[in-house]
Amino acid sequence: MKVNIRFYEITDAHMKLQLELNNKEHFERWSPIKPSEAFYTLDGQTNWIEKSIEKAKNDER
């Protein structure tokens, strides 16, 4: 079995939104920071991915 690991791309926003919505209750139970409701929108996921791309370019967390 081959596993590919890569950074998110803007085109992944819809898929990531579905992942977050489908697992919202579980993720929130274990996350120390509770996301805002805006996080659970397509715009919220797009913004999150854009910030993640910038942080990766700047070698930040």
Side-chain angles (χ1 to χ4, degrees):
M1 177 165 137
K2 183 177 179 181
V3 176
N4 292 315
I5 299 174
R6 64 173 175 79
F7 289 106
Y8 283 110
E9 299 171 355
I10 298 299
T11 56
D12 297 323
H14 189 270
M15 179 182 63
K16 185 172 182 314
L17 175 59
Q18 289 305 308
L19 173 81
E20 295 291 346
L21 290 173
N22 291 342
N23 294 285
K24 182 178 179 180
E25 186 178 313
H26 176 75
F27 289 159
E28 286 186 348
R29 187 176 338 155
W30 301 105
S31 177
I33 299 170
K34 305 298 183 221
S36 69
E37 286 302 311
F39 178 78
Y40 297 103
T41 65
L42 189 56
D43 284 342
Q45 292 304 304
T46 301
N47 290 336
W48 187 93
I49 291 171
E50 288 171 343
K51 288 177 186 176
S52 295
I53 291 169
E54 276 303 307
K55 287 180 179 181
K57 285 180 185 176
N58 297 324
D59 199 26
E60 299 173 11
R61 286 188 163 194

